[in-house]
Amino acid sequence: MTVFSFHINGDRVEVAAPDHWTLLEVLRYRLGLTGTKQGCDKGDCGACTVLVDGRPWLACLTLAKSVEGREITTIEGLMPAHRKSGGAGADPLQDAFDRCGALQCGFCQPGMILSARALLARNPRPTRVEIRHALSGNLCRCTGYTQIFEAVESAVAQACGTTTAARAWEAQRERACEREDTP
Amino acid sequence: MLRLPKFELRSPRTLSEAIQLLEEAGPAAMVIAGGTDLVPNMKHELATPELLVSLAHIEELRGVRREPEGALAIGAMTSLAEVAASELVQRFAPALAQACSLVAGPQLRAMGTLGGNVLLDTRCQWFNQSYFWRQALGFCMKKDGSVCHVVQGGKNCVAAASNDTAPALMTLGARLELEGPEGSRTTAIDDFWVADGIVNKKLGASEILTRIVVPPTPRGHRGAYGKLRDRGSIDFPLLGVAVRLDVDETERVAHADVVVTALAAQPKRVAKVGDTLRGQTLGSPEFESAVLAVAELARKQCRPLPNIPGDADYRREMVPVYVKRTLFAAARGDGPVHHV
């Protein structure tokens, strides 16, 4: 057992855990930060993505001891950071994922949002290709990726004060609503 | 849930301290760089070190530098993402930058290092599995058993070299600088491999790979990397093809090389490539015929085994396709070749 000293979501945290634990185990089973998901546990799926010094990082392959003293951000840290910097509500990316229905079961969502957050931090106006590339290490097994990419584009558009084009499913829904309204 | 077995982690600040730790602990110790290969292997009980010596805090092992005579010296602990994004590497060793850009996904490229990729353990679909899975099968000769499930009755392990950077570095004629208890040594990367899937590299006990040196490339140097994989994002290669084309001022090929990987225990250089392509002018019909001839040479010389996922016949049919596409990409000065 070792006492680790971490910088997580802006807080300095001291936590006792076995030496051979991964960062993922410490986050979930010592600190209760269960937003970081445990998926394949061997680096294939990206569900355990966190940010280490602003870069997407796989917590399941990271020895806890190796990230002592580095800045770690989990999904739980996005909203407080957004509010601390003067924003209201959730992080704009979380909001966009919600708005665009960019989830089904939600398991991949924390990793997706953190990979997208790191992308927007270094490239505030990415193209669709750049978004696809940045999220290529995160697997979604439910929805396909279209609405996830659209959510990132929507957050970018909102930050630029513009709107994205209506998505195919939105037009379909509107037509369906019109039909239902027709007596 | 895959848990790590117990071990001790030490993080020395200097190379000599790291070598001393390795020497004292002997075979019970292993080096950890990015951990993206070793940690899953430890979770599968494929590696069970008692001591891990982390190189993360040894600053001298990081960074890309251009030496006065034009060679590129890349620290073994430089991340794959940094090598892929390095303007020096993109300009002077494009095949290496492209290969690094196609290793796994963004998270693993940020964590994984060039040295770690060069020293990646060989992979096999009968080996890279959990202990429970391997035990149910009766194990294999690479770990805990004595038989080969790829080649029935086979005497040699045929686990596949799966490091994308190795073939690119071979086309570039790279040298590896190693530091060990006996001092430092340099070896050509071509001489580093052994045709044995159990351990396919000549790395001495307690030796650490410190730098990868790419000799100066001529002004007309072009290179590209092509990678076939299941998903266009985070998989190991089902096939990797690195090519080199050096052309003179009139765009005639002066030197050409093709190295293919993920077939067997070591990367394979396709024979007679230089003779076939030399003297051809890029873009000419003769060049295109010569590229097709090289693709056919590669198909004849490469015989993928059912050692990694992906049908072996399909991978064999893809050899000429990827050799051709990657050569054309290098001739155009673009790449990498992949399917996303």
Side-chain angles (χ1 to χ4, degrees):
Chain A
M1 199 72 79
T2 304
V3 176
F4 295 110
S5 176
F6 293 121
H7 246 127
I8 299 181
N9 298 330
D11 293 330
R12 183 173 288 283
V13 179
E14 294 211 335
V15 53
D19 302 355
H20 62 285
W21 272 24
T22 61
L23 174 62
L24 180 65
E25 288 169 307
V26 172
L27 290 174
R28 288 182 63 87
Y29 308 122
R30 280 290 186 268
L31 297 171
L33 296 172
T34 51
T36 308
K37 299 302 177 204
Q38 189 156 22
C40 67
D41 235 354
K42 56 194 179 81
D44 280 342
C45 73
C48 66
T49 301
V50 296
L51 302 184
V52 173
D53 295 335
R55 302 201 72 156
W57 215 260
L58 297 181
C60 77
L61 299 186
T62 303
L63 305 181
K65 195 173 174 167
S66 69
V67 284
E68 278 191 294
R70 298 176 75 176
E71 197 63 52
I72 298 160
T73 307
T74 70
I75 192 71
E76 290 90 347
L78 285 193
M79 191 161 96
H82 175 61
R83 293 196 172 186
K84 205 172 170 184
S85 62
D91 183 279
L93 263 169
Q94 290 173 308
D95 208 24
F97 269 63
D98 183 17
R99 201 166 54 239
C100 297
L103 80 161
Q104 191 165 317
C105 80
F107 194 84
C108 70
Q109 213 182 9
M112 289 279 183
I113 291 176
L114 286 166
S115 283
R117 173 47 62 226
L119 168 70
L120 298 191
R122 67 172 193 276
N123 178 5
R125 301 192 69 171
T127 62
R128 174 64 73 101
V129 172
E130 287 165 338
I131 295 169
R132 286 173 62 110
H133 198 247
L135 300 186
S136 65
N138 295 81
L139 296 190
C140 166
R141 300 288 82 176
C142 300
T143 69
Y145 298 87
T146 308
Q147 283 160 225
I148 292 167
F149 300 147
E150 285 174 351
V152 182
E153 286 172 347
S154 175
V156 172
Q158 199 180 34
C160 300
T162 58
T163 52
T164 47
R167 294 175 291 276
W169 60 269
E170 283 181 329
Q172 269 174 11
R173 189 179 60 179
E174 273 167 29
R175 279 198 297 276
C177 290
E178 279 167 19
R179 276 199 299 277
E180 278 172 19
D181 291 344
T182 311
Chain B
M1 180 173 171
L2 295 166
R3 305 206 87 146
L4 282 169
K6 288 186 178 174
F7 58 86
E8 187 192 349
L9 178 69
R10 300 285 291 273
S11 303
R13 304 269 158 179
T14 65
L15 202 51
S16 53
E17 202 185 328
I19 293 165
Q20 197 184 342
L21 282 169
L22 288 171
E23 209 181 1
E24 281 167 11
M30 285 183 84
V31 169
I32 183 164
T36 56
D37 184 41
L38 182 60
V39 174
N41 284 355
M42 285 173 65
K43 287 184 171 186
H44 285 160
E45 295 180 48
L46 296 169
T48 47
E50 289 164 24
L51 173 71
L52 283 184
V53 179
S54 167
L55 305 182
H57 294 102
I58 306 178
E59 280 308 311
E60 63 187 288
L61 297 181
R62 290 183 187 279
V64 180
R65 269 210 323 276
R66 191 150 187 251
E67 304 282 275
E69 85 283 14
L72 287 180
I74 308 170
M77 283 296 289
T78 313
S79 77
L80 291 160
E82 285 172 67
V83 179
S86 160
E87 285 179 17
L88 283 172
V89 181
Q90 287 174 3
R91 186 168 161 209
F92 297 108
L96 178 61
Q98 292 179 17
C100 289
S101 79
L102 293 190
V103 176
Q107 297 97 321
L108 292 166
R109 285 194 294 275
M111 298 166 72
T113 64
L114 180 59
N117 193 261
V118 170
L119 297 180
L120 188 83
D121 196 6
T122 53
R123 296 184 63 82
C124 179
Q125 57 186 333
W126 309 102
F127 168 73
N128 294 98
Q129 304 287 355
S130 67
Y131 185 86
F132 174 80
W133 196 102
R134 291 183 294 116
Q135 187 185 37
L137 192 74
F139 300 111
C140 78
M141 66 166 70
K142 183 160 161 67
K143 178 72 180 161
D144 303 322
S146 57
V147 295
C148 179
H149 302 292
V150 178
V151 182
Q152 296 301 321
K155 296 278 183 284
N156 296 314
C157 176
V158 290
S162 302
N163 32 9
D164 292 295
T165 58
L169 288 167
M170 285 172 70
T171 61
L172 290 159
R175 299 189 303 273
L176 305 179
E177 292 184 0
L178 302 125
E179 192 87 21
E182 313 295 322
S184 53
R185 72 178 173 107
T186 301
T187 176
I189 191 165
D190 287 9
D191 303 331
F192 191 60
W193 313 113
V194 200
D196 180 1
I198 294 175
V199 181
N200 76 334
K201 41 194 84 68
K202 295 176 194 162
L203 185 69
S206 312
E207 237 179 9
I208 294 173
L209 173 62
T210 55
R211 287 206 311 175
I212 295 99
V213 180
V214 177
T217 43
R219 187 179 290 273
H221 169 77
R222 304 198 186 173
Y225 185 72
K227 177 169 179 171
L228 174 71
R229 47 184 167 173
D230 270 342
R231 294 169 293 184
S233 52
I234 60 179
D235 282 318
F236 283 100
L238 300 180
L239 173 70
V241 178
V243 310
R244 172 181 190 152
L245 286 175
D246 290 350
V247 296
D248 62 18
E249 316 77 60
T250 59
E251 300 263 289
R252 277 155 60 103
V253 177
H255 174 65
D257 195 9
V258 175
V259 179
V260 185
T261 196
L263 305 170
Q266 57 178 345
K268 182 181 178 59
R269 171 165 283 120
V270 178
K272 298 182 193 158
V273 171
D275 295 342
T276 312
L277 283 167
R278 196 172 299 116
Q280 308 296 348
T281 306
L282 297 188
S284 67
E286 293 77 19
F287 173 75
E288 290 187 13
S289 307
V291 167
L292 297 182
V294 168
E296 184 55 22
L297 280 174
R299 196 187 71 80
K300 282 186 181 151
Q301 293 173 28
C302 299
R303 291 179 191 281
L305 294 164
N307 47 3
I308 52 174
D311 183 73
D313 291 336
Y314 166 66
R315 283 160 56 217
R316 186 171 189 206
E317 291 308 315
M318 285 296 109
V319 169
V321 175
Y322 270 73
V323 167
K324 182 182 75 179
R325 287 181 187 170
T326 314
L327 274 167
F328 282 136
R332 289 192 305 270
D334 64 11
V337 175
H338 60 136
H339 56 74
V340 284

